[in-house]
Amino acid sequence: MNQLPDILIIADEDTVYGVEHGYYPDLTKSVQDGNLMVLGYDNWRNNTDILLKERPLCKGEDVYIRNPYTNRYIKASDNELLDIFCEEKSLVIKEALVMMGAKHIIVEDNVFDKEQKNKGFKARLSNNAKGIGGSLNTSFSRTESLNIKNQIESEDPNRIPKSYHEVSDFMDNHGLNNDTKLCLLRDRLKRDGKLTGKEHYTLTYLNEINSALNVLSSIDYKIFSGSLDFSLEHNHIHSISKKLIIEF
């Protein structure tokens, strides 16, 4: 998989020029560090590597976070951001285990609250016609509605594992090569030709977006829009951990 930056901002050409020429040092550093990509509205269509869930509105608020499991960019203000990350991670993990020959994948629920510093997105909204002002807060904590059990549980006693190279290619194309447990199972498949027995695997969520949110919280967005404000908020959020029992 082509490793793209965690954050994508689509902006006007003047802003892109300023970033490229160092007028906004924090943005330029993030670009140089490989954490951020800034594209102009006129040329993002020509970049075939860029997949967007939602087209830019060209109003200075087009900030995206990359989903490492699909390499697709999702708007940071999308109310379903965390839901999408959780769902797609579940499906990708399941498919990797199925390719390794897992005959049964069972979920044991373990949802717990955790008090932590959470990077929140705040977009101040206004309606000039009605004279109404307000704010929209998305704290990346909407997880209760997810039915992860349905997304990841699987059963087929007749499964036969795919080859090591097929499994390895899938993991590489879906951002799983940093998952130590899956990599060890894949390497055992290469060594033994098949996997047997029962394995326990803890599937966690939220960590995929932590680095992206850290980048977001360090950027001054006033150069894009006065309505953008990514900042640290102290939230009581849901951190999700799912224990999987896998039988090969």
Side-chain angles (χ1 to χ4, degrees):
M1 177 188 289
N2 184 19
Q3 184 63 45
L4 295 169
D6 288 339
I7 302 298
L8 166 68
I9 297 176
I10 301 179
D12 61 77
E13 297 300 331
D14 288 341
T15 302
V16 174
Y17 181 90
V19 173
E20 291 176 346
H21 291 78
Y23 298 153
Y24 311 110
D26 58 337
L27 292 173
T28 302
K29 184 177 187 307
S30 292
V31 171
Q32 293 172 344
D33 291 342
N35 299 319
L36 171 68
M37 178 186 297
V38 181
L39 293 178
Y41 290 119
D42 295 334
N43 65 10
W44 70 268
R45 298 178 184 85
N46 299 324
N47 193 322
T48 57
D49 291 331
I50 302 300
L51 302 175
L52 304 181
K53 175 180 178 289
E54 183 180 346
R55 293 170 62 88
L57 297 177
C58 304
K59 295 181 179 179
E61 299 178 4
D62 297 307
V63 180
Y64 297 82
I65 296 177
R66 184 178 66 90
N67 184 341
Y69 305 106
T70 61
N71 228 21
R72 180 177 63 158
Y73 284 97
I74 304 168
K75 273 202 172 181
S77 56
D78 193 322
N79 286 332
E80 297 182 351
L81 176 68
L82 183 57
D83 296 42
I84 293 169
F85 270 69
C86 289
E87 178 182 7
E88 294 185 347
K89 180 173 185 176
S90 298
L91 295 174
V92 167
I93 293 289
K94 176 173 72 174
E95 187 59 26
L97 293 170
V98 166
M99 291 183 70
M100 293 183 197
K103 296 176 173 59
H104 302 277
I105 305 172
I106 303 169
V107 174
E108 290 185 353
D109 288 330
N110 177 28
V111 180
F112 56 93
D113 293 337
K114 183 170 65 174
E115 189 85 8
Q116 69 172 43
K117 287 288 183 180
N118 185 43
K119 285 74 179 175
F121 169 79
K122 181 185 294 181
R124 293 186 293 276
L125 306 177
S126 64
N127 186 323
N128 293 331
K130 297 181 180 179
I132 298 173
S135 64
L136 173 65
N137 292 295
T138 303
S139 59
F140 308 104
S141 60
R142 294 178 60 250
T143 57
E144 300 85 70
S145 63
L146 292 174
N147 192 339
I148 294 174
K149 204 165 188 175
N150 286 343
Q151 295 165 356
I152 201 168
E153 285 197 341
S154 181
E155 179 176 356
D156 183 351
N158 299 314
R159 281 197 184 116
I160 298 174
K162 302 296 183 182
S163 70
Y164 166 83
H165 293 293
E166 288 176 287
V167 175
S168 187
D169 286 345
F170 179 84
M171 290 177 58
D172 181 55
N173 290 329
H174 291 86
L176 297 178
N177 278 336
N178 291 326
D179 190 310
T180 301
K181 178 73 171 182
L182 289 181
C183 288
L184 289 173
L185 289 174
R186 178 197 61 189
D187 293 345
R188 192 193 308 168
L189 175 65
K190 180 181 182 181
R191 184 176 64 247
D192 298 343
K194 65 177 182 179
L195 299 175
T196 59
K198 181 184 294 186
E199 297 286 339
H200 293 270
Y201 176 89
T202 300
L203 178 55
T204 58
Y205 302 92
L206 296 182
N207 54 320
E208 293 81 8
I209 61 174
N210 280 341
S211 61
L213 297 179
N214 283 328
V215 173
L216 285 176
S217 66
S218 67
I219 293 175
D220 181 3
Y221 288 89
K222 292 183 178 63
I223 65 172
F224 300 106
S225 170
S227 64
L228 289 179
D229 176 24
F230 292 91
S231 58
L232 287 172
E233 294 181 345
H234 193 62
N235 292 298
H236 189 68
I237 67 170
H238 283 289
S239 179
I240 291 184
S241 175
K242 297 291 182 182
K243 181 179 179 182
L244 307 185
I245 301 176
I246 309 156
E247 296 181 6
F248 291 99

